[in-house]
Every structure is written in structure tokens, then in C-alpha cells.
Amino acid sequence: MTDTLPDRLAANPKSPYFNEALMERGVGIRFNGVDKTNVEEYCVSEGWIRVAAGNARDRHGDPLTIKLKGRVEPYFREKE
């Protein structure tokens, strides 16, 4: 397994950017210096994350998201 994270990663299995092995390993996101736990997707090169907008759902049952722009730093979470 590699120790580098991709430029773009999504938590939704329907997305082409989903990677099950990385999600099982545990990926954390630091956005503008603050750890975020509700990130649905991120892109480092474009500098944005998508976070869930409350409990709202679209017609397919997926959470509605808001795109936030800033500095994105993905990292692997430590196993306890």
C-alpha cells in the first residue's frame, strides 16, 4: 500500500474518485488548519472540499453538499 494520498478523493462509492482501500485505512482532512470530520470529497490542486449541508438529502438519498475553498491537507489517521 502506498503512503501518498491522491489529489482528489471522495467518500461516496458512486463517485469515480472513490478508493475503498484508502477509506478503510482512514483519511483525515485539515482545512485551513482545522481538522474536519464531515468531508464528502476533496481536491488538493484546486483547493476545495465538499461538506454535508446539514441533514438535507437529494432525490437519490445522497447528502447535499457545499463547496468550500481554502488550503486542503489530507493525511492518514493513526490507528489506535
Side-chain angles (χ1 to χ4, degrees):
M1 187 171 281
T2 180
D3 285 335
T4 59
L5 287 164
D7 178 58
R8 189 168 176 178
L9 185 65
N12 187 346
K14 299 174 191 173
S15 172
Y17 300 105
F18 178 73
N19 186 327
E20 185 175 1
L22 288 177
M23 297 305 288
E24 287 178 359
R25 185 171 176 186
V27 176
I29 302 296
R30 195 168 293 116
F31 182 69
N32 290 336
V34 178
D35 286 337
K36 295 287 187 180
T37 58
N38 61 342
V39 175
E40 296 290 326
E41 186 175 1
Y42 74 82
C43 182
V44 176
S45 63
E46 295 178 15
W48 57 262
I49 62 171
R50 287 195 177 274
V51 295
N55 293 330
R57 299 280 177 178
D58 66 7
R59 64 182 180 188
H60 303 289
D62 298 326
L64 291 178
T65 59
I66 298 172
K67 183 187 258 187
L68 303 174
K69 294 187 177 192
R71 192 179 69 225
V72 180
E73 302 171 37
Y75 62 93
F76 286 113
R77 290 195 175 131
E78 297 295 322
K79 298 243 178 183
E80 295 179 8

